[in-house]
Structures are given as C-alpha cells and as structure tokens.
Amino acid sequence: MTRDTTAGADGGSYENHPARRLWAGIEPIHALVYFAPEVGDAATKAGLKGWFMGYFAGRAAPLGAIGPEAVGAMFFGFAPDKVARALPDAWSFASPREVLDSRLDAVDRALARALPAGADLTRLATLLEHAAGSCDFGARPLAAAWSGVRLPEDAHPRLRVWLAATVLREHRGDGHVFTAVDHGLDGLQASVTHAAAGLAPGERLLVSRGWTEKQWERALVELIGRGVLDTEGNLTEAGVALRASVEQSTNRLASAPIRALGEYAAEEAIALATPLARHLIDTEAVPVPNPIGVTRP
C-alpha cells in the first residue's frame, strides 16, 4: 500500500504542516526508547517482567501507580487485556519512581551510543524546552505527566532533548487520540486504518497491540460498513478523506508549540532535529517500518 499524504483543504499535504514536520524530526529521537537494548535491560534490572511490562510501566511512570483502564484509554490502540497483563502488577516489582529513574538513565546511555558523535544538542534542547513549556495540557494527561518530570541541573543536552521531545510527542498524541474519537474511531479501528494507509504492517500491529484476529476482522467489517475501507481492506476515497481530516485536526491541535517558537525558531528546531532523526533511522537504531508509523523525514 502507498502512504497517505492526502492534500488538505489548502491544497497542501498535511505532512507539510510545521507541527507535523516537527513531529517527524523529534519522533525518532523519542522512539529510540522503544528499540534500544539499554532500555529493555534497565526495565529487567528494575524487576519488570517482559518487554511490554517495561513499555507500559515506563511510558506511564510519571502518572504514578496507575491502573490498566486509564492507561488503555490514554495509549488508545492497545487491547485492554494486553494492558491488564502488565498493570498494575508492574508496581509490585518496582515503584513508578524507580521505573522512571531507570528509564531516564537507560535513555541517556542509549542516546550517547546512537546519536552522531560530537553533535552539539544545546540549541535544540533550548528550543524544544521552550516549545514544550508553551503547551496547554488541558485534556492531555499523558503529556501533562511527562511535563512534570524534572532532570538534574547537570543533565546532558541529549537527555534534555529527549525529555522535551517526549512532552511534545505526547502532547500531539493526546490530541490525536481525542480527534480520532471525535471522528468516530476507537483504538482498534484507528489501528486498522493506520495499517490500511500503509504506515505499519497490519499483522505486526495486530500482534504488538494485543488484538485477536477475530477482533481485527470485526473492526474491518465495521469500517467496510461505514465506507472507510473497501472489501479488500484498502482505504476508500472516504477513508482517505477521514484520515486526512484526523491528521489535519491533529496538526491544528499540536500547533501551540509552533506558535510559541515563531516561524524562524520552529524551522530552526526542525532543521536541527531532522539530521538526528535521519541518522537514527539510517543506522537502524530506529527501524522502519515500525508500529508507530514514523519514517525518515
């Protein structure tokens, strides 16, 4: 399948929106956390059992000892049973503070290994921190939680970049969730259209998100009935328009950091982040394709 880059109402692709281009530059930096062996090893040493327990606990740690219902709602695309196998059990092995501290330490080591040697990240850290600090966190619980994470004053700029990128991507992600819901998509249906747009292999999403084949097939039937997919599981014209509308709304809801930076500083941040993102993808530190749908910017 080809990737969906449908033109918006202004005649341009939604991928050309500065909020989208900033995400494309910073998402691989954040996403290293999901692929770096340092992070998985740290979760195991903290006492967590299995990769997905580390994933759910690590991403949710700033929220405290939270349960599966709230995490499932915020993470959106995962089957409830998948989340419930990790939470709240994770907190019996390690506290949220212990999980967060071990995760940040592991991310710092992973970045030191994976980013280009000698890269000066100070300016990018400053720009992204300013952007993240400008976010309105109303109805954005995951981003709000990560915005409360404090690093030591002597933290390396690479970790400052990662944390600010994390706040910004979760801010965008929270907005993406409620605009998908507003467009009538639940987490599974959103994943099915994600796969139908060619952004991630459907078979991989089905397994990694914990859905059964029966549940996936039911979502396909529902989307075919709505005219979003054709009988072969491809996006229809209406389906392409639906996804474009979701992405355009996501861009609009993620625009506050761009406005806070201003046009020139926003373009500077994108220009500084993009080579780092390309390096991580080109060296396969962040593999493509992946369930996130992030590609080489």
Side-chain angles (χ1 to χ4, degrees):
M1 297 179 185
T2 57
R3 295 182 63 235
D4 173 16
T5 57
T6 305
D10 61 357
S13 165
Y14 59 70
E15 292 191 338
N16 291 329
H17 192 287
R20 174 78 177 203
R21 291 191 292 114
L22 179 62
W23 171 81
I26 65 174
E27 181 65 13
I29 298 171
H30 165 81
L32 181 65
V33 71
Y34 306 126
F35 303 104
E38 293 91 340
V39 178
D41 291 345
T44 299
K45 289 178 182 178
L48 301 181
K49 310 300 181 183
W51 190 91
F52 272 104
M53 181 177 282
Y55 167 78
F56 287 117
R59 191 176 169 203
L63 293 154
I66 193 168
E69 296 83 5
V71 168
M74 284 181 279
F75 289 18
F76 193 57
F78 289 88
D81 289 349
K82 182 95 170 180
V83 187
R85 285 196 291 272
L87 301 175
D89 285 356
W91 313 127
S92 68
F93 301 118
S95 70
R97 183 75 256 175
E98 291 169 333
V99 172
L100 180 60
D101 287 346
S102 67
R103 193 172 184 83
L104 291 173
D105 176 70
V107 166
D108 192 32
R109 289 184 282 110
L111 291 165
R113 169 185 56 80
L115 288 176
D120 185 357
L121 304 176
T122 305
R123 176 61 176 167
L124 179 59
T126 299
L127 290 170
L128 294 184
E129 286 170 343
H130 179 72
S134 74
C135 292
D136 176 0
F137 296 111
R140 289 179 166 94
L142 195 52
W146 276 100
S147 75
V149 174
R150 297 290 176 260
L151 297 176
E153 290 186 6
D154 62 350
H156 193 281
R158 63 178 171 256
L159 191 57
R160 291 170 53 202
V161 166
W162 183 85
L163 180 57
T166 297
V167 174
L168 290 167
R169 72 91 66 171
E170 299 295 12
H171 177 269
R172 180 183 178 89
D174 285 339
H176 185 70
V177 168
F178 54 75
T179 197
V181 171
D182 186 53
H183 282 73
L185 298 172
D186 61 25
L188 174 53
Q189 292 167 345
S191 294
V192 171
T193 65
H194 186 67
L199 296 172
E203 298 83 358
R204 187 171 180 184
L205 278 179
L206 187 153
V207 173
S208 67
R209 298 323 192 222
W211 302 104
T212 66
E213 291 186 4
K214 185 175 180 179
Q215 289 169 326
W216 190 272
E217 288 295 328
R218 185 184 303 123
L220 282 171
V221 170
E222 291 168 349
L223 291 169
I224 290 169
R226 288 176 56 183
V228 174
L229 300 179
D230 63 25
T231 55
E232 295 184 355
N234 298 311
L235 289 171
T236 62
E237 184 176 344
V240 171
L242 173 67
R243 280 196 52 84
S245 181
V246 169
E247 296 298 338
Q248 290 157 12
S249 294
T250 300
N251 285 338
R252 176 175 57 81
L253 292 170
S255 292
I258 298 296
R259 291 193 297 270
L261 285 172
E263 178 183 357
Y264 295 107
E267 291 299 330
E268 182 184 4
I270 293 167
L272 290 171
T274 297
L276 303 177
R278 289 174 178 164
H279 175 83
L280 291 172
I281 289 172
D282 290 346
T283 58
E284 299 184 346
V286 175
V288 173
N290 52 69
I292 304 166
V294 66
T295 59
R296 190 180 191 274

